[in-house]
Every structure is written in C-alpha cells, then in structure tokens.
Amino acid sequence: MSGAEQLVSAYLSLHAESAARLMESMPVEQANAVLGTVDAATAAPVLGHMLPTYAARCVERQSPMEGAMLLEKLGSQEAVAVLRHLDHARRDEVLGALGSQWLVAFRLLLSYPVNTVGAWVEPRALTLPDDCTVGDARERAARSDLVAQARIYVLDRSHRIRGAVRGLTLLQLHTRKKLASILEPADALWAREPLATAIEKDVWERNTEAPVMNRDEEFIGAITYADLRKAHRQLTSSGSADPPHDLAEVSELIAIGAGSLWQSLGELVRPDRRR
C-alpha cells in the first residue's frame, strides 16, 4: 500500500461519517474508486453513513462478491436499505454471493413491506432455550458473536418466546438454577404490524427494545425503540408510509437449535401463514 493509500485508509477509518458526506458530493465512479483502495472492514462504515440510494450506486459498480463483502460488514438494517435500492438483477447477484446466514437474514428483512416492523428487525439476535441452566446460559452467551441486546430472549422448542433474562442476572445466580424459573415477561410485536402502530405500544414504557414474532408466534428477531422511530421518521419524510401494492410472498425465518445456542438465523425458511 502506497503512502497516499495509507492516508486515505486512515481518514476513512477515523472519519467515516464525514468521509461519506464528502464522497456523496463526488461522481459515483470516483467515490467507488476511493472505496476500492481500502479493505471491506474500512469501506463498510463509510458506505453505511451514505444515503442508501448513493451507496447502492457504488455497490452496482462492484462485482457481486465485492458488494456482498461490504454488506456483510454493515448492520442488517443498513445493508438491507442498500439492497432495496439495487435493481432486481443486481440484487439477486449480490444476494447469491452472500454467506448462507446473511442470505437468510437479508431475505427475511426484504420480504416484509417497508412500513412494517418485520422490515426493520435485527434477526441476528442472541436467544437461549428454556431448558438450559443458568450456567449453560452463561457459557453460551459468552461464546456467541451475535448482536448483543439489552435482554436475552428465551424460547421453547417450538420457537415461541417464553420470556427474557438480562446478562447481569445470569452472573448473579447459581449455575444450576433452571433458566425457565427466572424469566421476566417479554411482550412481543407482530412482524406485520405497521410502524406507526408499533411506536404507540405500551411495551416502550418498560423497555428500550422488544422481541418480534411472526404470525405463527415464532421469534424472528428484536427491534429497538430508537430504530423503530428512525425507520418511521424516514418513511414519513420520504412519503413512503403506505404499503407497496405488489408485495412478494413473505418468507419467515425459523429459529433453530438442537442442543446448542438457539439463534435467530437458520437454514429453514417457509411462507408466512395467515392466522
């Protein structure tokens, strides 16, 4: 790497947001060339601070594999916002280059109308089975590289939410205590619920985040109040609060796990069924 490239890399690493604003003022070919001088870990935060429409134009000028590597370094919401602005052919190419766990997560988010909770959920959330002990739960949480949240959601073997537990609570109790005996309530939002309705729920009086479930009452991820408000504000300001007319068939992500840490990512996807 030349001295100039090292300088660019340092600037992008230290000032990702200001770099994004500067690059948005450049022709997209020039901005994309700058991103191409650094690795994906350095370029991704800059891409995440760009307007999704502009970021998508950059991704369009990269190979599907390069674009997929960038999106894998972003948060789920930022990556899906970019994917929504790619044309269908390029989106399919980028999705095809993603790792399997990312592909399932991103397809889940893309399958929901943009004005619903499901489109903004974080599917890579840490969950635990209700038949483990506190000691098991501590070990599994320590080994996990999934997204940390305020509460860890506890599921039964049908993928339904039994309740929640806080990490600090796990550290304070005897290791042999059953996890199911220490759960606090965890009121969930419906994935198909409109953002405007979800913002008014009583759950936000007690918690800063909430679990989300599909119509089969299966856990599919979590969403924070801050992200919910941000999504609603974006849609309201853009005039996109109404649902789209041609919705693709919804795919639901099933949380799976057999004797290991349950995750909200899995290999199984199935159509959403009406209750």
Side-chain angles (χ1 to χ4, degrees), residues 77-90:
Q77 294 177 17
E78 291 85 354
V80 169
V82 175
L83 284 167
R84 287 184 185 278
H85 290 283
L86 296 176
D87 65 62
H88 291 294
R90 173 53 63 139

Side-chain angles (χ1 to χ4, degrees), residues 24 30 45 47 64 78 93 122 130 145 178 202 210 212 221 226 248:
E24 284 175 343
Q30 186 177 352
L47 196 77
E78 291 85 354
E93 290 174 351
E122 173 50 75
D130 63 354
D145 59 355
K178 290 294 186 181
D202 292 342
V212 180

